[in-house]
Amino acid sequence: MHKVSKLDRKYVWHPFTQMRDWMGQEPVLIERGKGSVLTDVNGKKYLDGNASIWTNLHGHNNFRINNAIAKQLAKVAHSSALGLANEPASVLAEKLVKAAGPPLKKVFYSDDGSTALEVALKMSYEHNRRINRSKKPRFLSLMRSYHGDTIGAASLGQIDLFRRPYSGLLFKADKAFSPYCYRCPFNKAKPERRDARLGRKCKWECISKLENKIKSHKYAALVVEPRVQGAAGMIMHPSGWLKRASNVVKVAGAQLIADEVMTGFGRTGFTFACHKEKVIPDFLCLAKGLTGGYLPMAATLTSQDVFDSFLGEYKEMKTFFHGHSYSGNQLGASAALASLGLLNNRRGRLRRKKLEKLLSVELESLWPFARVGDVRQEGLVAGVELVADWKTRESFPLKAKIGIKVCEVMARKGVLTRPIGNVVPLLPPYCTTDAQLRKMVRVLRESIMEVLGSTKV
Ligand code: PMP
């Protein structure tokens, strides 16, 4: 066993990992990366099929981002944002505000997706109290939603598996119905092709349910992952749902918190998924791709209104009492500025469009397989849901570890991704070449066949 593997096994506790299984196998030890390729200590190359847990945008070892970090490093790595300002964080804030659009005017920096949500949650809570909307504001979040693992963010999440162990610690966020067209309980809207021929019509029952729920209480805010619920299994909302949901929230006088930790920075085709439906949230939470997938940094954007409710004389103690040691870190902000530059250039945008098209063409090849229930895509996010029976849509039990097995075979064949239950996600970095993208899908197809057989429908 490699000496680093020994150290890992002896000392490191990995996230979301059954460590007994982990310790029974030799880990993939990544040594370097270039573009969409990660190379391990033995020289074996892997395609980074989930962009290193949905963070990487422009590839690893990107010359421009490397340079931006190196240039900043020669000046200073970090000075606190508590009492001090710095150039990269200030310039980045202006760019983020411009990219997000009105009424988002202020940027609060933190460290990761979870803290970006904690910040929005606390700001919204206190804002709602200060405008006298509610003495004890309550929040609404979507079925199957995931917003991070810190206590506040986990309280907003609605995935039972992640909530149950900590239920005694979490506060209650009410659950709102959210669409999952493939398993729509109204059994009418099946946009995916196997039912399209039935021509059944959707009546937006999911929105009526949300509307009824939001009317039942004076909620402070609804939290949404716009257009794609990532950790739920890359569940894509039908087009028009987000706009309708945002209207329902506005009519109710509540706030909208958009968690674009995964969907932000071009993943769904637009800079932010909200823009796709011209939705204006009160809070926009960003992390993961903010630094191009280089460094941990997050931002919570909000409106002047929210900002103003924290203004006052010092002695009034209206200050937003929240902060992190590394808020506004210069290296992270420099990486983010370079990443934004790459994101917004015309060549990059055209390339992403082309890649999205190619991904959809390649994914077609999965439909004939009987164990493939649903193939979903939104921009450069894809989710392939594996099922025991495509006709009944019966799921494999989690204990069967089907997703895990398929991803293990994929890794052996040189493509890395991480399953979400029975769903295999593909989120290629934007610099992925056509040949690499074809390989990602081919390996996924072959791995499904190896684990589940090649029976066709
Ligand atoms: N929100 C969403 C939508 C996410 O997908 C994630 C992470 N997968 C988070 C929040 C939490 O981010 P982090 O892991 O950086 O805390």
Side-chain angles (χ1 to χ4, degrees), residues 182-183 192 194 363-376 383-391 393-394 396 402 406 422 424 444-445 447-449 452-457:
Y182 178 61
R183 298 187 181 282
E192 79 275 19
R194 278 176 193 161
L363 289 171
E364 288 281 322
S365 67
L366 300 174
W367 278 108
F369 292 94
R371 302 296 197 189
V372 172
D374 196 18
V375 183
R376 311 187 268 269
V384 177
E385 182 162 341
L386 304 169
V387 288
D389 184 339
W390 72 271
K391 281 191 200 130
R393 301 171 190 223
E394 184 193 335
F396 288 108
I402 295 299
V406 169
N422 295 316
V424 182
L444 169 58
R445 192 172 57 243
S447 306
I448 293 171
M449 285 159 66
L452 295 166
S454 48
T455 312
K456 301 220 172 147
V457 294

Side-chain angles (χ1 to χ4, degrees), residues 423-440:
V423 177
V424 182
L426 278 184
L427 290 88
Y430 305 160
C431 63
T432 304
T433 65
D434 289 6
Q436 288 171 332
L437 191 83
R438 287 195 184 98
K439 179 174 175 186
M440 284 181 191

